[in-house]
Amino acid sequence: DAGITQSPRHKVTETGTPVTLRCHQTENHRYMYWYRQDPGHGLRLIHYSYGVKDTDKGEVSDGYSVSRSKTEDFLLTLESATSSQTSVYFCAISEQGNSPLHFGNGTRLTVT
Amino acid sequence: GQNIDQPTEMTATEGAIVQINCTYQTSGFNGLFWYQQHAGEAPTFLSYNVLDGLEEKGRFSSFLSRSKGYSYLLLKELQMKDSASYLCAVTRGNTPLVFGKGTRLSVIA
């Protein structure tokens, strides 16, 4: 299995609070991604990174920000969590932009 | 834009063959991926098709027709452990994968 660790695995938070999810890889892959998965919508891209300090928005980026200060870490921040951000969040990595993605185990976030 | 369609649910019998279809409309299409996702787990990579034709990997095969915007995943000799969601995803150029909503396959005895 690709070395990808997401933390925390589960989190419950209140509306309006900031939340940061962490993705850590040991594969030295250039590309890292954050997706969210919701029933009826499938996996949707939030943000991705193609190198240290190089990031771009995905399909559902509103309300989210990311940072990548080191190759191995990609952080996803919800500045002020809302109930619509209750979801399962997956981090993924790939060697190239069109290479297969390898996913972390996911973070289940509940915003009450 | 990109539009990817796959059936929402399918049911098949243990030992049988099942074909899961995926159609797409994508400008600048580069390739198509299939992933398997068991309930409560992360997606895992199954196959990647760039050229037209059939790619076989053991019990699983994947087919692509670029001119028709069509792919299928063929699962042979179905086992109970094949019960999972199967996700079709397309890529164009070097841009991130866009996923379909997935097909939930139930294998029954």
Side-chain angles (χ1 to χ4, degrees):
Chain A
D1 287 347
I4 312 168
T5 305
Q6 290 186 233
S7 59
R9 292 296 314 279
H10 301 271
K11 185 168 183 68
V12 179
T13 192
E14 293 184 349
T15 299
T17 59
V19 177
T20 296
L21 308 184
R22 180 180 183 239
C23 179
H24 178 78
Q25 61 144 331
T26 57
E27 304 298 315
N28 201 36
H29 282 353
R30 180 181 172 193
Y31 287 79
M32 298 185 76
Y33 312 82
W34 279 106
Y35 285 86
R36 60 179 288 177
Q37 188 171 40
D38 305 286
H41 290 280
L43 280 162
R44 293 180 292 174
L45 181 67
I46 304 171
H47 282 279
Y48 70 103
S49 170
Y50 46 95
V52 173
K53 293 191 166 65
D54 291 323
T55 65
D56 206 348
K57 295 179 180 180
E59 175 189 359
V60 290
S61 60
D62 286 349
Y64 302 95
S65 62
V66 290
S67 67
R68 190 165 179 205
S69 58
K70 299 185 289 185
T71 299
E72 56 266 35
D73 289 326
F74 193 32
L75 304 180
L76 176 71
T77 297
L78 292 65
E79 301 292 345
S80 177
T82 67
S83 58
S84 65
Q85 294 176 312
T86 292
S87 187
V88 178
Y89 290 85
F90 285 103
C91 173
I93 64 174
S94 68
E95 290 187 79
Q96 302 294 333
N98 57 3
S99 301
L101 302 185
H102 300 282
F103 286 85
N105 287 327
T107 295
R108 183 172 294 276
L109 176 68
T110 302
V111 183
T112 61
Chain B
Q2 301 185 74
N3 191 31
I4 304 168
D5 287 312
Q6 26 178 159
T8 303
E9 294 188 25
M10 298 182 71
T11 301
T13 305
E14 192 175 17
I17 299 172
V18 71
Q19 178 175 310
I20 302 173
N21 295 326
C22 172
T23 58
Y24 62 89
Q25 293 174 310
T26 302
S27 57
F29 173 82
N30 190 52
L32 188 141
F33 292 81
W34 283 98
Y35 283 80
Q36 180 190 59
Q37 185 178 24
H38 287 101
E41 297 183 9
T44 56
F45 168 71
L46 288 177
S47 66
Y48 178 42
N49 293 69
V50 177
L51 302 176
D52 285 356
L54 189 68
E55 300 265 350
E56 297 188 69
K57 267 189 194 179
R59 294 189 300 114
F60 291 12
S61 302
S62 57
F63 171 83
L64 176 67
S65 168
R66 296 175 68 103
S67 62
K68 295 182 179 177
Y70 168 68
S71 173
Y72 66 73
L73 182 69
L74 194 70
L75 289 72
K76 303 176 186 174
E77 301 168 16
L78 278 173
Q79 303 175 9
M80 301 301 285
K81 67 178 182 180
D82 297 329
S83 291
S85 289
Y86 291 87
L87 316 178
C88 167
V90 300
T91 184
R92 43 179 185 166
N94 224 23
T95 60
L97 271 63
V98 176
F99 286 83
K101 294 179 181 179
T103 299
R104 184 181 302 170
L105 174 67
S106 299
V107 180
I108 58 176

